[in-house]
Amino acid sequence: MSSRLEEIGVRMWLPEPASVHACIDKAAFHRVLTEHGVPTPRSWWGDTLDLVPENTRLVVKPRRGHGAQHVHFVEKKEHALLLSEVVPGALVQERVYGTEFTADCLVDRTGRASAILRRRDLVKAGLAAVSTTFHDTTVLDFVLAALRAVRAEGLCCVQGFVQDDGQVTITELNVRIAGGFPLTEAAGADLVGQMVNGLFGLAVDHDRLTYRTGVFLTNYVETLAVGETTDLKRIAMNGVTT
């Protein structure tokens, strides 16, 4: 649809289709990162499921999709194989432990990238409820390596773990903004402003993408109201008028 969108005035800044497909298919993402020497959890799918090791903590998840939907944690191979028959497009992955992080990234049209790192200190239903910014040279190096491996461009985010033994593992890369990006802005990085520059063909000022460490953000989700559906229209209308 890109040519049609351009005709009606929609401005886009997207990577090549191959780059997008490498990010939305977890099996393809695993292959790409492995080929480029970027550490990522061991994964099995399709006719390689028989190679899943015994006595290993595993995650069963769809190859495609988002968030924590259809994700199951198991400790036995037979349970993983059973779930792989009911989870759509199943992929079995070695479970990793440690500190989870997200990197908010902007890759300019020359391939130069900036990344703002934040720990996912408390995660609920796949979303970070508490995050703090930090800096780690090793984490940054692997984030940049993942961006190069998939030939990312524009605004994107990388997720991974700093494992208990200090090893860094990259788990996913999304070619979109992350839900917790307000922390990046609060820490001083002009992520949105520089993305707009790149969107309109202007130079990205990477000096504006530096940030302060030790800045935190908390998210809170709460039920707003419970009641009879007959009252819902009245409540909605009152909300509009007030």
Side-chain angles (χ1 to χ4, degrees), residues 98-231:
T99 301
E100 192 174 2
F101 67 84
T102 294
D104 294 311
C105 307
L106 187 62
V107 185
D108 68 22
R109 297 180 190 276
T110 71
R112 182 181 175 185
S114 286
I116 296 87
L117 307 178
R118 48 187 170 86
R119 295 185 186 89
R120 293 160 60 88
D121 299 303
L122 178 62
V123 178
K124 293 186 176 183
L127 301 176
V130 181
S131 302
T132 53
T133 55
F134 74 104
H135 179 72
D136 184 297
T137 302
T138 303
V139 173
L140 178 61
D141 287 345
F142 282 125
V143 165
L144 298 179
L147 294 171
R148 291 192 297 269
V150 302
R151 302 189 307 280
E153 186 174 339
L155 190 62
C156 51
C157 62
V158 179
Q159 290 188 13
F161 284 84
V162 180
Q163 298 184 63
D164 297 334
D165 60 3
Q167 295 186 59
V168 178
T169 302
I170 303 298
T171 54
E172 64 182 84
L173 194 161
N174 299 301
V175 285
R176 57 165 173 77
I177 198 166
F181 85 92
L183 177 55
T184 285
E185 294 274 334
D190 183 30
L191 185 67
V192 174
Q194 297 309 309
M195 179 276 291
V196 172
N197 280 352
L199 181 66
F200 283 88
L202 304 176
V204 171
D205 184 354
H206 289 272
D207 291 336
R208 298 284 305 278
L209 292 170
T210 58
Y211 65 101
R212 303 188 309 278
T213 60
V215 181
F216 78 91
L217 176 141
T218 61
N219 288 322
Y220 179 66
V221 179
E222 182 56 275
T223 301
L224 297 179
V226 176
E228 300 296 328
T229 54
T230 52
D231 295 329

Side-chain angles (χ1 to χ4, degrees), residues 2-15:
S2 59
S3 59
R4 184 177 177 184
L5 289 170
E6 288 175 354
E7 288 175 0
I8 62 176
V10 177
R11 187 174 292 272
M12 295 171 291
W13 187 13
L14 302 172

Side-chain angles (χ1 to χ4, degrees), residues 228-241:
E228 300 296 328
T229 54
T230 52
D231 295 329
L232 184 58
K233 184 176 181 180
R234 175 181 57 78
I235 294 171
M237 290 303 296
N238 286 340
V240 169
T241 58

